[in-house]
Amino acid sequence: MGRSYQVRVWKIEPRKNSKGKVTSYRLRWEVERKRYSRQFKTEALADSFRAELLTAARNGEAFDTETGLPESRSRADNDMPWFVFACEYVDMKWPDASPKYRKSLAEFLMTITVALLDSPKEIDGKALRKALRVAFNPRTRDEPHPPQVADALKFAARSTTRVSALADPEILRKLLQKLDLNIDGSRASNNTVRLRRVTLNSALEYAIERELLTTNPLKTLKTKKRKSSIQEIDPAAVVNPMQARMLLAAVGTLGKQGPPLVAFFALMYYAGLRPEEAANVKKGNLALPEEGWGDIHLEKARPEVAGEWTDSGEASAEGPLKHRDDNIGRSVPCPPALTEILHTHLTQFGTARDGRLFRGARDGGRVGSTTYGRVWAAARAKVFTPEVAAGPLAKRPYDLRHAAVSTWLKGAGAGEAPRVAKWAGHSLSVLLRVYAKCLDGGERAAREGVAKAFEVW
């Protein structure tokens, strides 16, 4: 193996296809008059590698004439900056991930990457986070970027800690401390920290697979464990049947936007649907008699997510139900009150072209959370006193689902918990730990029952 100090590095060359679109970036350099080249998907990655070669040459480091790389790089050819590795990790996860998970993964990796920067104060934090969201999305990474974003990507590519450095307990411990904090320095919630650490752990396991690490350093690091708690439903947020009926009635009186959404909220309350499930209910999913009990056969969901995270590029594209494989649906009973509401909705408002019961007012797409959130807030203000409206009772439309499952459990009895879990689309353990909550006002009734039991004796 020869060594040489005669190194020359050329500028980065954009490579274009027949239509004139840049498809990659080539870097050429020579060692001892022998030429080498590498191609990169993004200019930031090419610029990072070019900077590494120039730094090694300026520092008087010898280059390997066989590989064309600095000796230090040649010895650790499998090592790479965290940013470069994180992009590869995203590319590996992307094909099998849902749009919402892709977005969440990008957010968690953004937090980890910022924490691993050598000198984060050298660049505007807002611009850096925007650039990282772009980088952690294969659909947007290679698109032309504004100068500020492009500069931030180059900075991230050359300024993040190398993956191998995470084997150092002190570096990893400092990283975990930073993951405990929000952008403003406040302490993040336990669940947020848990999800960040889960993402980091999964990435480190992939680093082992890529032979960038030999073991997962998280498994041997001794740190103070934060207690993880299940996010239980606040009983104070769950409406009772009378309150729910009053809220649905109020929605029907709110201008043009309210009446078409009565059935939307009713599906969440009477059938326990998630917003993304209710948004995608089609006429063909309904098996309704003229009156009485019917059935709703859910097939797909339509989560609210930007088109940049979906395979089709369509915003809020149709996808599988939560916790289920594609084309695996579930059936939910439709109580008589909901049957009546759905018939009324179909008569008054019909359906979208694809059969969906609900559609956006402008483009006929998914009804947006901004729209139904605004209507729900107005309904609460109309039904509740200012003091109650300021509290947690039915604060979010999602609280209607919590009320539905709680009502199912109370009405069907504890012995039917497995059936209720099936209706809700949850495991039995999650149902009993998270959703088995008292309805609003149930505490008083329970205490009265206990008092009567004591009086019997």
Side-chain angles (χ1 to χ4, degrees):
M1 181 178 69
R3 301 167 69 246
S4 176
Y5 297 92
Q6 297 180 20
V7 180
R8 182 183 178 188
V9 183
W10 279 276
K11 292 182 179 180
I12 298 169
E13 300 174 352
R15 308 289 287 177
K16 299 181 180 180
N17 59 18
S18 59
K19 296 181 180 180
K21 181 180 179 181
V22 176
T23 57
S24 62
Y25 296 85
R26 183 175 71 173
L27 175 65
R28 294 187 300 156
W29 74 102
E30 69 175 32
V31 178
E32 198 73 29
R33 295 186 180 182
K34 182 179 178 181
R35 293 189 177 183
Y36 305 86
S37 68
R38 282 198 181 184
Q39 301 237 134
F40 300 86
K41 289 185 177 181
T42 68
E43 187 179 8
L45 298 179
D47 183 72
S48 174
F49 187 72
R50 183 174 186 272
E52 185 176 350
L53 296 182
L54 290 173
T55 299
R58 289 168 185 162
N59 291 339
E61 186 174 340
F63 279 61
D64 183 345
T65 56
E66 184 176 332
T67 64
L69 298 174
E71 284 193 333
S72 60
R73 187 66 164 83
S74 184
R75 287 192 299 268
D77 193 36
N78 283 335
D79 199 6
M80 63 176 66
W82 168 266
F83 170 77
V84 178
F85 166 74
C87 289
E88 292 191 6
Y89 175 68
V90 167
D91 293 346
M92 182 273 295
K93 299 285 286 186
W94 185 273
D96 298 322
S98 69
K100 291 193 74 172
Y101 177 75
R102 291 168 178 173
K103 183 180 179 181
S104 298
L105 179 62
E107 293 291 333
F108 296 138
L109 286 176
M110 177 196 71
T111 303
I112 296 170
T113 303
V114 171
L116 288 173
L117 287 172
D118 294 332
S119 50
K121 294 183 179 180
E122 292 183 10
I123 190 168
D124 177 68
K126 187 175 181 180
L128 176 61
R129 290 189 294 274
K130 180 178 180 181
L132 291 176
R133 289 189 187 95
V134 167
F136 296 146
N137 183 331
R139 292 175 58 87
T140 60
R141 185 187 304 148
D142 298 333
E143 296 295 322
H145 305 304
Q148 192 176 30
V149 172
D151 291 343
L153 289 176
K154 292 178 183 178
F155 175 82
R158 66 174 182 265
S159 301
T160 51
T161 301
R162 289 192 169 276
V163 176
S164 60
L166 294 177
D168 185 330
E170 290 306 313
I171 292 177
L172 186 59
R173 186 173 286 108
K174 289 179 180 179
L175 169 60
L176 294 179
Q177 291 171 350
K178 292 178 181 179
L179 296 187
D180 285 353
L181 305 176
N182 294 315
I183 294 175
D184 61 4
S186 61
R187 185 166 289 277
S189 70
N190 284 352
N191 192 53
T192 297
V193 174
R194 179 184 65 82
L195 292 173
R196 289 172 181 174
R197 292 194 177 197
V198 167
T199 301
L200 175 61
N201 182 72
S202 178
L204 293 177
E205 291 292 332
Y206 182 61
I208 296 173
E209 181 182 330
R210 287 289 319 278
E211 298 183 351
L212 301 175
L213 292 170
T214 56
T215 59
N216 188 336
L218 273 179
K219 295 183 177 180
T220 57
L221 188 70
K222 293 184 179 180
T223 59
K224 181 179 179 181
K225 293 184 178 181
R226 298 185 66 178
K227 293 182 179 179
S228 59
S229 58
I230 296 174
Q231 289 187 308
E232 298 181 346
I233 305 306
D234 182 0
V238 180
V239 293
N240 61 39
M242 179 178 292
Q243 292 165 335
R245 290 193 293 269
M246 292 172 64
L247 287 165
L248 292 176
V251 169
T253 66
L254 298 173
K256 293 183 178 180
Q257 292 184 328
L261 289 174
V262 172
F264 180 82
F265 294 122
L267 282 167
M268 297 175 67
Y269 175 65
Y270 286 109
L273 302 195
R274 300 178 176 92
E276 63 266 28
E277 295 169 345
N280 202 53
V281 169
K282 301 174 182 177
K283 186 176 180 180
N285 299 132
L286 306 177
L288 303 179
E290 289 298 322
E291 59 182 23
W293 283 90
D295 290 285
I296 303 171
H297 305 291
L298 301 175
E299 298 173 342
K300 299 279 188 177
R302 195 174 288 269
E304 189 173 32
V305 64
E308 65 196 80
W309 303 104
T310 66
D311 290 328
S312 64
E314 174 191 356
S316 302
E318 208 177 43
L321 299 177
K322 189 174 183 180
H323 303 311
R324 291 175 184 257
D325 293 332
D326 201 10
N327 298 320
I328 302 298
R330 80 173 194 274
S331 294
V332 184
C334 179
L338 180 56
T339 296
E340 181 180 351
I341 291 173
L342 291 174
H343 277 307
T344 300
H345 178 89
L346 289 169
T347 300
Q348 292 184 350
F349 306 108
T351 67
R353 292 183 179 180
D354 61 357
R356 281 179 295 114
L357 271 60
F358 313 104
R359 52 200 182 276
R362 293 183 180 180
D363 57 3
R366 183 198 194 275
V367 59
S369 60
T370 301
T371 298
Y372 67 73
R374 183 168 54 245
V375 169
W376 187 248
R380 290 183 76 250
K382 190 169 185 177
V383 170
F384 298 152
T385 64
E387 293 77 15
V388 174
L393 184 61
K395 191 75 172 180
R396 309 168 304 156
Y398 206 103
D399 291 326
L400 291 172
R401 170 173 160 82
H402 302 154
V405 180
S406 296
T407 304
W408 288 343
L409 282 169
K410 182 178 180 181
E416 292 294 335
R419 189 187 306 276
V420 171
K422 183 179 178 181
W423 291 345
H426 268 304
S427 67
L428 180 59
S429 61
V430 169
L431 177 81
L432 296 178
R433 293 181 182 182
V434 178
Y435 284 92
K437 290 297 178 180
C438 299
L439 299 178
D440 184 61
E443 180 74 13
R444 179 179 177 182
R447 293 188 181 192
E448 289 177 351
V450 171
K452 291 178 179 179
F454 279 121
E455 292 173 1
V456 171
W457 299 98

